[in-house]
Amino acid sequence: MQLGSLMEKMKMDHLAPQVDSVLEQAAKKDMNLREFLTLALETEWRGRHLKGVESRLAQARLPWVKTIDQFDFSFQPSIDRKVVRELSGLAFAERAENVILLGPPGVGKTHLSIALAVKAVEAGHRVLFLTLESLIMRLTRARSENRLERQLQQLTYPKVLVLDEMGYLPMSREDASLFFRLLSRRYEKASIIITSNKSFSDWGEIFGDQVMATAILDRLLHHSTVISIKGDSYRLREKKKAGMLEKQQTRKEAAEKEKTEQKDPELAKS
Ligand code: ADP
Ligand code: MG
């Protein structure tokens, strides 16, 4: 059989287009047979892995992509880097534990949740990102269409489920009970990363019911890492910086204008 058709039959889709360059590389580096075989299979494997990451990343529906490396820990000293480093090792996902990120707006809760989601995707896990609002909408619609069970089942598949922005909107009793059903389904089976701008003592208010809040917190916190961020908004910092830049810019422009006017008095009149 021909090499080309063998690769086609074995679905070596990533090696096939690169086989000439792999052969060339092997000859150039004077590889032995084992080294050559390793290189060829590695080429195929790398392509498959990348494709898998891309497809899981698309399925995760992240609103934007940010990594841990892009997080400036020096700006947020209340976050223990060691805890984040430990979480990025993904033992929490293997053990179906939860991560709860608390703090005021702009301190990087969504950024860190996305960064952990990206890590999980790279490690081969299925991930799904939803805002609390869209989760509740999904569950409510599913219930009204008599397919709540199926929807709950689907929401147990992702190894990591990110639920962003708990507490921005109040929930009705029914919303809270739908949320509790989801938690119970995933409990000790798969991880949830949840972000909230409300402290635990205010969760009763979110769910409009202290008993429900306690039951929810009980499930969520049983196996969990809580990162409570106390600090300034990174967004505001960026705005402030931009404001300063604007001022500098205007000053520079004014100086520039002055110079031109000095050179060309006609322009100064305009
Ligand atoms: P939150 O979810 O807590 O409201 P975000 O995670 O959405 O905040 O952060 C707001 C913006 O600021 C995002 O673009 C995020 O990437 C960025 N950001 C926040 N904190 C940091 C940080 N410590 N280092 C780098 N970027 C940050
Ligand atoms: Mg956020």
Side-chain angles (χ1 to χ4, degrees):
M1 229 188 275
Q2 294 266 307
L3 177 60
S5 63
L6 265 172
M7 285 190 294
E8 198 184 319
K9 281 190 199 304
M10 296 186 70
K11 301 199 170 30
M12 300 279 211
D13 296 344
H14 305 280
L15 176 60
Q18 291 190 60
V19 73
D20 288 337
S21 99
V22 167
L23 284 166
E24 204 176 297
Q25 226 175 303
K28 224 187 261 167
K29 290 190 183 154
D30 211 7
M31 286 183 186
N32 64 32
L33 291 177
R34 175 176 287 273
E35 284 166 342
F36 163 68
L37 192 57
T38 307
L39 176 67
L41 292 179
E42 206 174 61
T43 305
E44 176 61 28
W45 180 83
R46 199 164 289 146
R48 286 187 193 184
H49 174 73
L50 231 87
K51 201 174 155 206
V53 168
E54 273 166 22
S55 113
R56 282 191 303 278
L57 206 54
Q59 279 169 4
R61 298 172 179 237
L62 301 177
W64 25 277
V65 173
K66 282 276 168 86
T67 61
I68 306 267
D69 293 339
Q70 287 170 301
F71 196 82
D72 178 2
F73 284 93
S74 63
F75 182 74
Q76 220 54 266
S78 70
I79 302 176
D80 188 345
R81 289 175 200 224
K82 265 194 300 198
V83 173
V84 177
R85 202 178 313 132
E86 166 79 22
L87 288 173
S88 25
L90 299 174
F92 83 93
E94 310 286 351
R95 295 197 292 250
E97 294 177 358
N98 301 324
V99 178
I100 303 165
L101 293 149
L102 302 177
V107 292
K109 302 181 297 295
T110 304
H111 183 138
L112 287 175
S113 69
I114 287 175
L116 290 175
V118 170
K119 282 272 176 198
V121 159
E122 284 169 353
H125 297 305
R126 275 172 71 150
V127 173
L128 180 63
F129 182 106
L130 292 173
T131 61
L132 238 299
E133 192 186 3
S134 60
L135 169 78
I136 297 299
M137 259 167 51
R138 267 192 192 211
L139 293 174
T140 311
R141 193 177 321 133
R143 187 182 47 193
S144 72
E145 290 168 5
N146 266 326
R147 48 177 185 81
L148 181 58
E149 260 316 299
R150 210 181 330 142
Q151 178 65 85
L152 284 168
Q153 190 56 38
Q154 272 173 13
L155 287 169
T156 59
Y157 295 145
K159 186 87 183 149
V160 175
L161 177 64
V162 182
L163 297 176
D164 197 26
E165 302 195 336
M166 144 91 69
Y168 280 89
L169 294 173
M171 286 189 196
S172 69
R173 254 198 83 82
E174 270 159 30
D175 296 346
S177 109
L178 284 172
F179 179 60
F180 182 72
R181 284 184 69 172
L182 174 72
L183 276 191
S184 309
R185 281 301 191 90
R186 293 183 60 90
Y187 183 64
E188 294 185 336
K189 285 200 204 80
S191 300
I192 291 181
I193 301 178
I194 202 159
T195 76
S196 179
N197 62 334
K198 295 261 162 64
S199 63
F200 291 135
S201 56
D202 293 333
W203 282 33
E205 205 180 292
I206 307 174
F207 301 113
D209 180 327
Q210 200 53 54
V211 178
M212 184 59 93
T214 308
I216 286 172
L217 275 174
D218 190 57
R219 287 282 151 103
L220 215 50
L221 290 177
H222 186 199
H223 309 287
S224 71
T225 304
V226 179
I227 297 181
S228 196
I229 313 174
K230 296 171 192 74
D232 294 332
S233 162
Y234 198 84
R235 283 197 201 96
L236 287 187
R237 179 196 99 135
E238 287 190 323
K239 279 236 177 71
K240 276 186 206 148
K241 251 175 49 187
M244 266 170 60
L245 284 177
E246 266 161 33
K247 266 183 223 146
Q248 274 175 6
Q249 191 67 35
T250 346
R251 240 182 275 140
K252 208 171 135 205
E253 268 169 20
E256 214 72 61
K257 195 163 169 253
E258 229 169 59
K259 252 196 255 160
T260 337
E261 282 169 8
Q262 276 165 6
K263 267 188 232 150
D264 186 353
E266 274 310 302
L267 211 77
K269 281 184 210 152
S270 67

